[in-house]
Amino acid sequence: MSTGAEQLRASGLRVTRPRLAVLDVLGEGGHLEVEEITRRVRDRLDSVSTQGVYDVLGALSRAGLARRVEPAGSPARYETYAGDNHHHIVCRGCGAIEDVDCSVGERPCLQPTGGHGFAVDEAEVTFWGLCPSCQALRSVDATS
């Protein structure tokens, strides 16, 4: 596995402390909001502005090192882009997000019936439902 510095250089980005810190935070996993990423980066660095974290996330996303996940009605979240082909499932109750494997075949997963001449290279699918914790809460509320 390559280091953050190697990933940045291979993507044509300069190696900076904020970029390394954001990559490190994203590498811990999860689907993190900018505020959480900023808090964790500040634990590693003396100071970094929220705008600075947004700038780093934008650069990492453009370079293919991070992936922006933006479920309807929720703030954007970020994850490490692993180059795999996965989608997301979102809880309607608490907003938890989990990865789910591609539903069918290989990238781009789904082929549109009428592609309008586009060369499709990715399909973004979001599944919605209730996570186990929210299902349990709903069950308790129903019996009360």
Side-chain angles (χ1 to χ4, degrees):
M1 182 172 195
S2 59
T3 67
E6 291 168 339
Q7 290 175 316
L8 291 169
R9 286 186 192 105
S11 297
L13 296 175
R14 284 184 314 116
V15 176
T16 65
R17 290 180 68 226
R19 287 178 178 169
L20 289 171
V22 170
L23 271 178
D24 188 42
V25 167
L26 292 177
E28 293 171 355
H31 303 89
L32 305 172
E33 294 181 24
V34 173
E35 292 76 23
E36 177 64 16
I37 296 168
T38 302
R39 186 187 64 73
R40 292 185 188 185
V41 167
R42 285 179 179 153
D43 289 344
R44 291 165 169 76
L45 301 178
D46 295 335
S47 69
V48 66
S49 69
T50 302
Q51 184 59 51
V53 171
Y54 272 109
D55 293 345
V56 168
L57 289 167
L60 295 178
S61 295
R62 287 188 299 277
L65 297 174
R67 182 175 179 189
R68 181 183 171 120
V69 179
E70 203 166 359
S74 297
R77 302 196 190 181
Y78 292 84
E79 65 181 345
T80 300
Y81 184 70
D84 64 353
N85 198 22
H86 74 271
H87 302 300
H88 297 96
I89 189 163
V90 181
C91 179
R92 290 186 188 277
C94 66
I97 299 177
E98 295 293 337
D99 293 337
V100 292
D101 289 334
C102 181
S103 5
V104 178
E106 56 190 53
R107 189 177 191 172
C109 274
L110 305 172
Q111 295 294 331
T113 328
H116 304 281
F118 282 69
V120 177
D121 61 12
E122 184 176 3
E124 192 171 299
V125 177
T126 303
F127 298 94
W128 295 87
L130 288 177
C131 70
S133 296
C134 288
Q135 289 175 58
L137 285 174
R138 181 174 275 182
S139 177
V140 168
D141 287 345
T143 59
S144 299

